[in-house]
Amino acid sequence: MFQTEPILYLQSLGNDWLTSLMILITSMGSSAFLVSIVIIVTFGISFRKGFLLFQLLIWTGLITEIIKTVIAFPRPDYVDNRVLNLEYGVKSTSPFNGSGPDCVFGLPDKEVLETFRLQETLSPSPFGFPSGHVAITTALWGGSSTIFNSRKIKMMAPFMVLLVALSRMYLGRHFLGDILGGAIIGLFFLTAFTFFLKSSLKDDFFKKENFELALRRKNLILYFVMFVIPLVLIASSMISAEAAGFFLGTNAAYVLIIRRGLPDDAGSTEQRVLRIFIAFLLFGISSFILSTGFENIETAAYFGPTLIEFLKAFIPASTIWVSVVICTKLNLYRREREFLSSRKGNLEQPGQGME
């Protein structure tokens, strides 16, 4: 499961065209792709379904990160410097050559693990097991088929997961064992998510009273899960500042939105496209300003790298709230209570005419 031979064989078949294709495929598990999907679903199809899909993806990602940190297994190019990191085009500087296990079910060499874990400075995203891309892809396609009750998406899901898994191995980023571990985690969260959708807990996520600042059990549990847990995880260095920023930023935006009243999803195709465009615009502009600002402004030196990464994710994620406010002001959204009121009025009008 942690042998490098299958990866070396796949890379021996490669060329520039295939590498470019695999990099494109593997991007389906990237943060940018996932953010795009969540924004399109949230603003173009259903606010509730978009938020539920986000929760599935972010929790899958957070737990995967925690397992990566706890197990701390290296990636293939560290175990065997013959493996190429084709995703980033970086040559391996590992001192090990052909140090994978001899048997299929063997673990990485003990010396490799000890040397890897003793390093003081590690490259970005150094840990291999389990594959976050595969876990997220499994949750994304499986969750989408469940939320939308779509047979087509359900049929496509295994194929898309296999494609991403193959790309991760070809690019030298994961062992077969990492792939299987990621798939198991994705399936676990997908199963839990399916049960959640069938339970009464799903409705609690969309009740305004459960997000009021009140000392009620449901309120405290929701605030604890949505805000306290990620703060504890980032304080203990179990998850990245970027992941915590996306999680807290989106949840903060959601609380602000639901306390004012969730928007309904009615609207023409043009209105839905405009809502998506506004959300993308605000998210993109805020991300660009923060990235450029922290790189060029001297005051960035006063912030720690963890806080900078957190803010670069938290602020763009929180623009979801601003996007909903702007779309409502532009009559691209109506508040849920206004929508229900108009429906009630329409139902009463025929009866009044008959009188």
Side-chain angles (χ1 to χ4, degrees):
M1 295 296 178
F2 294 95
Q3 296 170 308
T4 58
E5 282 76 13
I7 302 171
L8 292 170
Y9 173 73
L10 288 174
Q11 292 190 342
S12 70
L13 304 175
N15 52 50
D16 292 341
W17 178 87
L18 182 59
T19 299
S20 298
L21 177 62
M22 288 298 178
I23 290 175
L24 180 63
I25 292 172
T26 209
S27 66
M28 289 192 296
S30 66
S31 298
F33 180 81
L34 298 174
V35 167
S36 300
I37 293 296
V38 169
I39 287 177
I40 290 171
V41 173
T42 303
F43 288 90
I45 302 175
S46 168
F47 189 91
R48 291 167 180 75
K49 290 178 180 179
F51 181 71
L52 288 173
L53 184 60
F54 167 77
Q55 291 295 324
L56 169 63
L57 296 178
I58 196 66
W59 277 107
T60 303
L62 290 180
I63 299 303
T64 301
E65 270 202 48
I66 292 172
I67 295 175
K68 280 178 179 283
T69 304
V70 172
I71 295 181
F73 273 12
R75 291 186 183 268
D77 58 342
Y78 187 86
V79 174
D80 189 343
N81 57 25
R82 295 175 298 171
V83 174
L84 303 175
N85 181 347
L86 296 175
E87 184 176 17
Y88 300 110
V90 178
K91 184 175 176 59
S92 174
T93 58
S94 171
F96 300 102
N97 182 283
S99 298
D102 296 326
C103 61
V104 174
F105 296 102
L107 295 176
D109 184 78
K110 185 177 180 180
E111 182 184 357
V112 174
L113 290 177
E114 290 177 350
T115 306
F116 174 74
R117 291 166 179 170
L118 285 174
Q119 291 183 114
E120 294 184 1
T121 57
L122 294 171
S123 60
S125 187
F127 303 124
F129 181 89
S131 169
H133 277 66
V134 173
I136 288 288
T137 303
T138 303
L140 171 63
W141 288 91
S144 297
S145 68
T146 302
I147 288 176
F148 295 107
N149 194 25
S150 171
R151 193 176 212 176
K152 291 182 179 179
I153 297 177
K154 188 174 184 179
M155 292 175 62
M156 289 175 60
F159 177 70
M160 301 307 295
V161 173
L162 284 173
L163 270 181
V164 171
L166 181 63
S167 74
R168 300 308 288 164
M169 289 189 66
Y170 171 84
L171 294 172
R173 301 299 286 156
H174 283 295
F175 295 104
L176 178 59
D178 302 339
I179 299 298
L180 295 176
I184 290 171
I185 292 173
L187 288 172
F188 172 82
F189 276 94
L190 182 58
T191 303
F193 183 67
T194 302
F195 282 112
F196 170 78
L197 292 180
K198 296 177 180 178
S199 71
S200 59
L201 294 174
K202 183 191 74 172
D203 297 328
D204 291 335
F205 257 90
F206 303 107
K207 292 181 180 178
K208 180 179 178 181
E209 59 269 23
N210 289 337
F211 291 92
E212 294 174 349
L213 296 176
L215 295 176
R216 291 194 292 264
R217 187 177 66 176
K218 285 184 178 179
N219 299 57
L220 293 175
I221 290 174
L222 287 172
Y223 275 103
F224 181 80
V225 171
M226 295 174 71
F227 297 101
V228 177
I229 289 179
L231 287 174
V232 171
L233 292 176
I234 191 174
S236 57
S237 300
M238 296 297 290
I239 62 174
S240 67
E242 181 186 27
F246 276 123
F247 192 26
L248 290 172
T250 303
N251 285 344
Y254 177 74
V255 170
L256 291 173
I257 292 168
I258 196 171
R259 291 182 66 182
R260 292 186 60 185
L262 286 175
D264 73 89
D265 301 306
S268 64
T269 301
E270 291 77 9
Q271 287 175 316
R272 294 174 186 271
V273 170
L274 279 173
R275 294 195 309 238
I276 294 172
F277 174 76
I278 289 171
F280 269 122
L281 185 65
L282 291 177
F283 187 92
I285 289 175
S286 60
S287 298
F288 175 77
I289 291 175
L290 288 167
S291 297
T292 305
F294 280 123
E295 288 178 3
N296 299 305
I297 300 175
E298 293 183 2
T299 54
Y302 294 99
F303 295 92
T306 300
L307 180 58
I308 290 175
E309 289 303 311
F310 176 82
L311 291 175
K312 285 167 67 175
F314 177 87
I315 294 175
S318 63
T319 60
I320 292 175
W321 168 65
V322 182
S323 299
V324 170
V325 171
I326 292 175
C327 289
T328 304
K329 295 289 185 183
L330 295 175
N331 294 320
L332 301 176
Y333 266 138
R334 286 181 296 171
R335 290 295 172 191
E336 191 171 35
R337 57 179 177 270
E338 297 173 358
F339 176 62
L340 294 175
S341 177
S342 66
R343 285 187 62 187
K344 183 178 178 182
N346 291 335
L347 290 172
E348 291 176 350
Q349 283 178 8
Q352 292 174 352
M354 289 177 66
E355 293 177 357

